[in-house]
Amino acid sequence: MSMTVGDFIVERLHAWGVRRIFGYPGDGINGVFGALNRAKGSLEFIQARHEEMAAFMASAHAKFTGELGVCIATSGPGASHLVTGLYDARLDHQPVLAIVGQQARTAIGGHYQQEVDLVSLFKDVAGEFVHQASAPAQVRHLVDRAARIALANRTVTALILPNDLQQMTYEDPPRRHGTIHSGIGFKAPKIVPHAGDLKRAADILNAGKKVAMLVGAGALGATDEVIAVADRLGAGAAKALLGKATLPDDLPWVTGSIGMLGTKPSWKLMSGCDTLLMVGSGFPYSEFLPEEGQARAVQIDINPNMLSLRYPMDVNLVGDAAETLSALLPLLDQKDADWRREIGKEVEAWWETLEDRAHAEANPINPQRVTWELSPRLPGDCILTSDSGSCANWFARDIRMRRGMSASLSGGLASMGACVPYAIAAKFAHPGRPVIGLVGDGAMQMNNMAELITVAKYWKRWSTPGFVIGVFNNEDLNQVTWEQRVMEGDPKFDASQRIPNVPYHRFAELIGLKGLYVDRPDDVGPAWDKALAADRPVVVEFKTDPEVPPLPPHITLTQMQHLTEALVKGDPHESGIVTGTARQLLGALLPGGDEK
């Protein structure tokens, strides 16, 4: 039997090291699915409930493995459904290839059913490489370029395949003018800045007396190097959310997350430093960095496009984080520990504050208690993910990372609905490691519940059953509710914010998973114990209080004024705001505020 174009594509992806594809079938891509069937498992196909979730899985696969993530969908609606998950990969600089079907070549341009201009559709999200195949001899270099560009540029690429072409007999390109003869293979190069630039950076860092570091996802493979440089400089280090696993939180000079979901020590670190070293981070909120002109600054990033973008840097170093920090270390002077001791006192006090906050009374459960109780129970090799929304605040602040753990979420896009597909991809990539996801009820209803069916379909394939999803059920789109109050001065709009109360734990039981329901604070810790020890995947539903504010570590007077305005206008939950944990707002209003 001759090899079809679909057969060749499957074989070529295998040659590129791809072993797993996430997607959903349809007649526009049947030629490739037939080839996947004939390949007898050389590429494992994971069937998501929705194409968007398949794209999130491909993005998460790239994040948790460093490999090319691949998703596949049919023409028309299947292809368009991929877009949100692909933007997640693009904004977080992950190598992902989307393979999508198209109508037959003879139908294109004829207003045919499910005919969408897919090249135009993907032109932004896969702008560095999106092409539609038109002949069998063209497919080889399209696959090769799509894979290589995605890996080399850490970006999204797309390959569009008309359905009639997929069934045609594959032909290698002939040796004649107008043909392309491509090959496979890519290994990231070793990139280190010039010696002179390293010296200029070292001079700035050596001159500083109060050095702050900000590390992001680009430093995930450079934990030892970051620690060595921080120790030499006597620096404190804050972490962008995608870089949460870069540094363990048991180091006294690690201030935790930064920004809207960040900590007070990170705020004080940035507001008090005279020198900034940023490593592998595209953290977007400049107002949480030093004031312009306050600090001299050095940035290290593998992507030149991200340099001097958030803060005007004195020296920009293009290079791999680990290699560049190793080259920089011998040029740095050892500093005293005075600045670090000051930072350490702030960090110690902050953890005490978080403990107090987590144990504050709420109705019925304080959401901070959920993550506070989980943190010390986490297995040392676990993989964590969170959805967007208020749950991400508690993930960012209350979870203390230790060496050996991994964590990620939808960062640049901050999309709802990524938690469960991320967790699924993580478990397929590392089936022996426990995976824990945190998700709000809004995102759970949006699409995560459906992906629990995917868990039910596949979990018995995994070498260990450890897979736990914690759901914060507060019947509220909580992050937006508080943004309305604090940013706009508007009271909660129940018509847009209130969502149905759904028994998520019972749904889990219905489809063969384990479900737990918790509505008492003292039961939170034992519930996590049961979930982490279960013999099958678990959904733990926590009935949490929506009036616990997921707010920034430093509240401006304007934000406090807006909240007051919302209350004056008649917020429907005014009493809960005032009597619940509103003292946290007052404690965060001014640096040094005391909420006890």
Side-chain angles (χ1 to χ4, degrees), residues 236-504:
K239 300 186 288 186
L241 194 53
L242 287 173
K244 185 172 176 65
T246 300
L247 289 169
D249 287 306
D250 53 11
L251 296 171
W253 46 270
V254 173
T255 61
S257 297
I258 189 173
M260 301 289 287
L261 279 58
T263 71
K264 187 178 286 187
S266 292
W267 169 267
K268 290 198 169 185
L269 176 73
M270 293 297 159
S271 60
C273 71
D274 61 18
T275 309
L276 173 65
L277 173 58
M278 187 182 297
V279 184
S281 175
F283 172 71
Y285 302 126
S286 296
E287 69 269 27
F288 289 93
L289 297 177
E291 288 190 23
E292 190 167 341
Q294 169 192 322
R296 301 181 74 190
V298 174
Q299 185 175 0
I300 300 169
D301 205 290
I302 197 70
N303 185 353
N305 294 339
M306 300 304 295
L307 293 170
S308 208
L309 182 61
R310 312 302 188 197
Y311 192 85
M313 298 291 165
D314 295 273
V315 178
N316 295 289
L317 300 176
V318 179
D320 172 80
E323 298 285 353
T324 302
L325 290 170
S326 293
L328 189 60
L329 183 63
L331 307 176
L332 300 176
D333 298 335
Q334 181 65 55
K335 296 185 185 297
D336 62 42
D338 290 347
W339 170 238
R340 260 203 176 171
R341 279 192 289 269
E342 185 178 334
I343 295 164
K345 290 177 183 177
E346 292 287 344
V347 171
E348 184 178 3
W350 176 251
W351 284 117
E352 292 175 358
T353 296
L354 287 182
E355 183 173 15
D356 289 342
R357 288 185 178 185
H359 289 83
E361 289 186 12
N363 183 26
I365 293 176
N366 186 329
Q368 297 162 113
R369 181 77 175 265
V370 174
T371 42
W372 182 265
E373 294 284 359
L374 170 63
S375 187
R377 293 172 163 85
L378 288 170
D381 62 342
C382 72
I383 302 174
L384 289 156
T385 188
S386 170
D387 220 287
S388 295
S390 59
C391 64
N393 289 265
W394 320 132
F395 164 78
R397 293 180 188 149
D398 292 295
I399 298 293
R400 301 175 89 155
M401 299 301 294
R402 307 193 301 274
R403 273 188 181 266
M405 295 180 179
S406 302
S408 196
L409 75 173
S410 179
L413 190 62
S415 175
M416 289 176 66
C419 173
V420 176
Y422 262 49
I424 291 169
K427 191 64 176 178
F428 272 108
H430 305 283
R433 295 175 65 178
V435 175
I436 299 100
L438 301 170
V439 58
D441 49 358
M444 201 66 185
Q445 292 180 21
M446 181 177 284
N447 48 30
N448 280 293
M449 282 182 75
E451 289 310 314
L452 291 178
I453 300 172
T454 305
V455 176
K457 175 181 172 72
Y458 289 110
W459 75 268
K460 291 181 181 178
R461 294 190 187 181
W462 300 332
S463 57
T464 60
F467 186 96
V468 181
I469 301 296
V471 184
F472 296 76
N473 179 357
N474 57 22
E475 302 177 51
D476 181 43
L477 298 177
N478 198 236
Q479 188 79 6
V480 175
T481 292
W482 281 97
E483 287 170 346
Q484 288 174 339
R485 289 166 172 162
V486 175
M487 295 183 179
E488 310 300 333
D490 288 332
K492 178 177 177 178
F493 182 33
D494 268 347
S496 72
Q497 299 310 109
R498 190 168 179 82
I499 61 175
N501 183 18
V502 174
Y504 308 100

Side-chain angles (χ1 to χ4, degrees), residues 34-46:
L36 284 168
N37 192 21
R38 289 189 292 275
K40 300 190 184 303
S42 67
L43 266 64
E44 181 182 27
F45 173 69
I46 305 301

Side-chain angles (χ1 to χ4, degrees), residues 105 108 131-139 142 159-162 164-165 168:
R105 291 168 297 168
I108 293 173
H131 285 280
Q132 181 168 298
S134 58
Q138 180 193 17
V139 171
L142 291 184
L159 178 58
I160 303 163
L161 302 169
D164 58 327
L165 178 70
M168 293 178 67

Side-chain angles (χ1 to χ4, degrees), residues 1 13 44 75 98 114 131 155 216 243 245 347 353 413 426 491 495 513 516 524 530 565 582 584:
M1 183 177 177
L13 289 173
E44 181 182 27
S75 53
Q114 292 193 342
H131 285 280
T155 191
V347 171
T353 296
L413 190 62
L513 309 180
L516 299 171
V524 171
K530 290 178 184 177
E565 290 171 359
Q584 294 180 24

Side-chain angles (χ1 to χ4, degrees), residues 83-104:
V83 170
T84 298
L86 294 178
Y87 270 111
D88 176 65
R90 182 192 166 185
L91 269 61
D92 285 351
H93 309 284
Q94 296 304 313
V96 169
L97 166 60
I99 298 172
V100 296
Q102 178 58 290
Q103 295 307 306

